Amino acid sequence: MELHYLGIERYTGLTSSGAERILEHIPRLKAGVIGDGCLDIYWHADMTKSELSRETPHYPLPIVKEIFSPGAAGNVAANVKALGCSEVYFCSVFGNDWRGSLLRDTFQRLGIDDRYSLYVDEWLTPAYCKPIRHGMQGASQEDPRLDFNNHRPLSDVLVSQLVVRLDQMAEVVDIIAVTDQLHFGVVGEAVRERLAYWAEQGKIIVLDSRDRIGAFKGIIAKPNEIEALRWAEPSLDPYDGSWSHWLSAARKLSEHTGAPCCLTLGDKGSLWVEKGRAYWTNARKTEPPLDIVGAGDCFASALLCALGVGSNGMEAMAFAHAAAAVVVRKIGMTGTATPLEILESVRLDPA
């Protein structure tokens, strides 16, 4: 891959000692997370136990195991906690419903402080419910997801209350992760303006936004190649991009936001663009079976923590790949990466 013809420099500088140094300093950090938190639910059904219903002509799904974990911004919070941040705070809006109660219990179990979140009657707690059928000889298949989402924006009153909570959280943390995932989510214009203000004050902020990556100013954007091309080249099929397209999109986004851009490319690695200069690092070697669910959340969390302890963008990007390589090996869950797992990832694939 002759990327130097495009002006892209390769970074291979992350060593085991460098990863150890980053992980040694992460416990000094206080992290804040704001955005669209949700509850991930896995319902495992043993179809060998199913019997035809007497009331309907259907075979029910006998649930033999259920797993709850925080998803989206909640998974980011779980990841920064697993990386070792001394305090992790969560700022969002949830409903006073069964999913909100489960999510709150999960936060408490993981040591995530949700004092800056709002739990209200007029909002639904988002959830992604995943039924998985298990059959003979170890066969398994995931059914279509059951999603709980809001279909209207936050009220002005709730937006105002959320902005106050964001400011309170920003006062006490060193780093902030932003997850803007849902069409009707919590990261609206007022929140974006306050995040820009805190970035101007020197707060390290990393953003992951599915559809509004170009609406933010002054904070580090971490899109994948599809999100970046949809914003930068809307007339181009985002699944048909090339290195020149990806580089152009990253540079355009960095110039537009006035901050660095870290563009992830799946198994092709990622690009770091800052003040016009571009750097690439490869993804870590991982052997199948793989599960990419939650890998982006882990990458963003590790990137943010490494930047928070003083790593430059290239080193932070390489460290994030080491963390993501751990998570993709965890099948059937939105997993996290521990410091020991990351160090092992670096030792197994030092390049």
Side-chain angles (χ1 to χ4, degrees):
M1 217 169 18
E2 302 296 329
L3 296 183
H4 65 272
Y5 289 125
L6 294 173
I8 301 174
E9 302 175 48
R10 181 174 182 176
Y11 178 80
T12 57
L14 182 67
T15 61
S16 293
S17 60
E20 289 174 0
R21 171 180 47 80
I22 292 170
L23 289 164
E24 180 184 348
H25 289 87
I26 287 177
R28 302 177 186 177
L29 294 175
K30 297 178 182 179
V33 179
I34 181 168
D36 300 321
C38 73
L39 183 69
D40 279 349
I41 305 175
Y42 292 87
W43 283 318
H44 292 267
D46 183 351
M47 298 308 295
T48 67
K49 302 180 184 300
S50 184
E51 298 180 356
L52 183 65
S53 169
R54 294 186 179 184
E55 294 81 13
T56 64
H58 297 291
Y59 283 86
L61 276 62
I63 304 300
V64 295
K65 181 172 67 173
E66 55 182 346
I67 300 173
F68 306 104
S69 62
N75 191 38
V76 173
N79 271 277
V80 294
K81 186 65 178 179
L83 286 166
C85 288
S86 61
E87 297 175 21
V88 179
Y89 299 95
F90 202 92
C91 180
S92 190
V93 182
F94 301 109
N96 282 320
D97 46 40
W98 63 269
R99 298 172 306 285
S101 296
L102 282 172
L103 194 54
R104 183 168 239 176
D105 290 344
T106 304
F107 285 152
Q108 185 175 11
R109 174 173 55 82
L110 294 174
I112 297 167
D113 192 326
D114 67 346
R115 72 178 68 184
Y116 301 112
S117 290
L118 300 165
Y119 289 82
V120 298
D121 293 333
E122 61 266 38
W123 195 249
L124 293 177
T125 302
Y128 298 137
C129 309
K130 307 167 186 180
I132 302 172
R133 301 181 189 226
H134 299 271
M136 299 289 189
Q137 298 178 333
S140 64
Q141 177 178 313
E142 185 172 327
D143 280 3
R145 261 189 1 225
L146 306 174
D147 289 358
F148 291 85
N149 276 316
N150 294 280
H151 299 284
R152 55 184 172 80
L154 282 174
S155 68
D156 291 343
V157 171
L158 284 177
V159 169
S160 297
Q161 293 175 352
L162 181 64
V163 167
V164 170
R165 299 294 182 95
L166 168 59
D167 284 344
Q168 292 172 340
M169 183 180 75
E171 289 279 2
V172 301
V173 299
D174 306 299
I175 55 176
I176 299 175
V178 184
T179 300
D180 174 35
Q181 180 166 317
L182 302 176
H183 182 68
F184 290 106
V186 304
V187 185
E189 182 178 357
V191 170
R192 292 194 293 267
E193 290 177 355
R194 293 311 294 167
L195 290 168
Y197 164 80
W198 286 108
E200 289 177 355
Q201 307 310 304
K203 202 70 68 176
I204 298 173
I205 306 175
V206 168
L207 160 74
D208 206 341
S209 179
R210 182 163 291 180
D211 299 312
R212 293 174 284 265
I213 198 72
F216 296 77
K217 296 290 185 180
I219 65 180
I220 300 164
K222 188 218 70 72
N224 61 33
E225 70 273 34
I226 306 302
E227 295 158 351
L229 287 181
R230 281 177 176 163
W231 173 80
E233 301 287 348
S235 62
L236 179 72
D237 182 348
Y239 295 93
D240 194 30
S242 65
W243 285 100
S244 60
H245 291 128
W246 300 328
L247 175 60
S248 175
R251 282 180 167 157
K252 183 176 180 180
L253 184 57
S254 177
E255 182 178 356
H256 175 78
T257 61
C261 171
C262 182
L263 195 158
T264 59
L265 302 165
D267 60 3
K268 297 180 180 65
S270 57
L271 293 171
W272 179 271
V273 173
E274 184 173 6
K275 297 178 180 178
R277 296 190 68 177
Y279 304 86
W280 169 81
T281 193
N282 60 298
R284 298 270 158 177
K285 295 176 183 177
T286 49
E287 298 296 330
L290 304 175
D291 186 345
I292 64 171
V293 174
D297 296 333
C298 178
F299 186 100
S301 304
L303 179 76
L304 175 66
C305 288
L307 292 170
V309 301
S311 293
N312 61 30
M314 296 79 75
E315 183 180 61
M317 177 173 64
F319 177 77
H321 273 296
V326 171
V327 167
V328 297
R329 296 188 186 101
K330 298 184 176 181
I331 310 301
M333 67 177 74
T334 48
T336 59
T338 67
L340 286 177
E341 289 171 328
I342 293 171
L343 287 175
E344 184 65 17
S345 175
V346 175
R347 293 188 185 109
L348 287 173
D349 179 20

